[in-house]
Amino acid sequence: MNKNKRPLYIYYGIVIVLMLLFNIFLFPYLQNKSVKEVEYSQFLEMIRTGKVTKVEEQDRQILFEVNDGGKVILYKTGPWRSKDLINLLEENNVEFGSQIQREPGFLMSLLSWIIPLFAFIAIGQLLSRSLLKQMGGGSGSMSFGKSNAKIYVKAETGKTFRDVAGQEEAKEALKEIVGFLHNPGRYASIGAKLPKGALLVGPPGTGKTLLAQAVAGEANVPFFSISGSEFVEMFVGMGAAKVRDLFKQANEKAPCIVFIDEIDTIGKRRDSNYGGNDEREQTLNQLLSEMDGFDGKKGVVILAATNRPEILDPALLRPGRFDRQIPVELPDLQGRIAIFKVHARNVRTEPDINFETLALATAGASGADIANMVNEGALRAVREGRSAVSQRDIEESIEVVIAGYERKSMIVSPEEKRIVAYHEIGHALVTACQTHTAPVHKITIVPRTSGALGYVMQVDTEEKFLMSAEEIFNKMVILCGGRSAEELIFNTKTTGASNDIEKLTQLARQYIGYFGFTEEFDMTALVERNNKYLGGDLSYNVSDESLRQYDEAVFRLIKKAHEKAIEILKENSGAHHALANYLLEKETITGEEFMEILKRYRDDI
Ligand code: ADP
Ligand code: MG
Ligand code: ZN
């Protein structure tokens, strides 16, 4: 509340002036009012009877004291100037012309000061309170330059490393920080310095925020958390003030953790070329100087998270600041199994869930995706009135996350359905008739909310870390399978292949310019990945001349894949018809059903 002192000082000043005025003018007036007034004739009578002891002539009245048997009473009467009065006074031995001392009495004088004082204070309080409310804030919005932003101190985040599945390397690195927070003194006594800050980097949803909370939970220390985006929405000058406050509070509460989420929003590289953002730079500068300023031995550890480490200002990454980077990557197969298990703990599941199958079907999914899938599965179980989540629920929800909800209400004409069925079986056939491809898991022509009219789901039997040139090419051929089927069977081309085409082209570009699989361009990087963790686009890195050659090579590669797909479908047209009809009838078929029918036509698979 001390931020309001300034306006209140002014107010108290006004109060004192008012009280002085009150005492000088109003109070005597009131006092005067209380003096009893008598007729002039009565006054003269009183003089004659010897009761009057003192007389004072004032401007417009005569004040006199009467001794009424030992008690002095004050009277007043109107002016009546005459010589006789003085004679009369002299005759009766009355003191006159002297000042009559008025003693208001101790209580009266006390009240004359205290009552107004209290009244004014009370009014002042009311006024200042309503004033604050009007200005729209709780305490202290009347002052700027000092941040009033709440800083969250959650003594317990409630999270521990047990809640973070997989990410063993990251946890290992963070355990050292936990040890440090438990006992900063042990490090100090040896003279070992722990990094002041660690930066968690990785794609969205991999558990960076979760890990930071888990560190606080494990170390059992206060957790000051702030998100970079919160700085952005603040008034000018507030960002830096907030950083200052944050570190001040953290210093008082040490040992503790300061967590700056999404640090890229303030930590962006400072460059003058593009008329930099002053506010952001101020905030960043404040952060840099605070990081230098605080005593690393005290036990304040700064964690930050970002998925765009490449745009961070180099000053943030130099030793003494965020010199330790902890990668938090997308989970591998074991990691996904573990994450499924962690989240399945929170819902009631049937006992026979096969987590490995689920994990195999979710290659490339992040922890957040998996959490979402388990939850979608639980919602599905509730919708269908069951009391536990089944394997089927989660499998369905995996597809929901990948392809969107089923749109049973969408009406697809029989002719379109036929095209979709042949298109999808085209993909599946090309998949099955090539080597080095992931097996077909499921084929469906039930439309999805994402707009897909059908799709083939492939699930690898094991986790893949490397892909050969052949595998990438086979993948391209699979992507060509749908359109090839439309051309072969219906002699038409539909827009249903647009998504395939997009992926195909990107893959072809990478095949040549990113993976260096062709002889023509050898191991030259023709494209660059923009941001590693956000699935960023490729940007070109070539002269106009070679760009043309590059494009031509991409055309040729795609054409080659397309031709191979057509060739495969031509060879298997019997199976194609049989499978497409079966799919039209069932709408959704499993990989096993698919293989069973295919084997009737081919004995080599
Ligand atoms: P990030 O900060 O990396 O974008 P979060 O930490 O916010 O991701 O993760 C979002 C949610 O995803 C978490 O609340 C958690 O439910 C889930 N999650 C992510 N990674 C994991 C993991 N390794 N183990 C368990 N849950 C995870
Ligand atoms: Mg996060
Ligand atoms: Zn397709």
Side-chain angles (χ1 to χ4, degrees), residues 159 161-167 171 200-213 259 261-262 305-307 328-329 331 335 338-340 342-343 346 366-372:
K159 298 270 193 281
F161 282 148
R162 233 171 73 86
D163 296 296
V164 190
Q167 307 298 3
K171 277 197 245 175
L200 299 161
V201 294
T206 45
K208 297 182 293 297
T209 308
L210 188 64
L211 270 166
Q213 291 171 344
F259 177 52
D261 211 351
E262 293 156 56
T306 180
N307 37 39
V328 186
E329 300 285 348
I339 296 172
F340 265 115
V342 161
H343 287 280
N346 301 328
S366 69
D369 291 332
I370 292 173
N372 187 16

Side-chain angles (χ1 to χ4, degrees), residues 77-97:
T77 185
W80 197 279
R81 293 201 179 109
S82 71
K83 266 201 148 175
D84 294 350
L85 179 60
I86 295 177
N87 293 336
L88 190 67
L89 289 172
E90 272 171 351
E91 275 167 27
N92 288 284
N93 268 331
V94 178
E95 218 178 302
F96 64 93

Side-chain angles (χ1 to χ4, degrees), residues 423-424 427 482 496-497 500:
H423 177 114
E424 299 308 335
H427 285 305
D500 298 336

Side-chain angles (χ1 to χ4, degrees), residues 212-224:
Q213 291 171 344
V215 170
E218 289 282 328
N220 204 13
V221 296
F223 183 69
F224 294 84

Side-chain angles (χ1 to χ4, degrees), residues 423-424 427 454-456 478-483 486 496-501:
H423 177 114
E424 299 308 335
H427 285 305
Y455 59 88
V456 179
I478 293 171
L479 286 166
C480 294
R483 167 60 62 82
E486 295 170 7
S498 57
N499 190 25
D500 298 336
I501 290 171

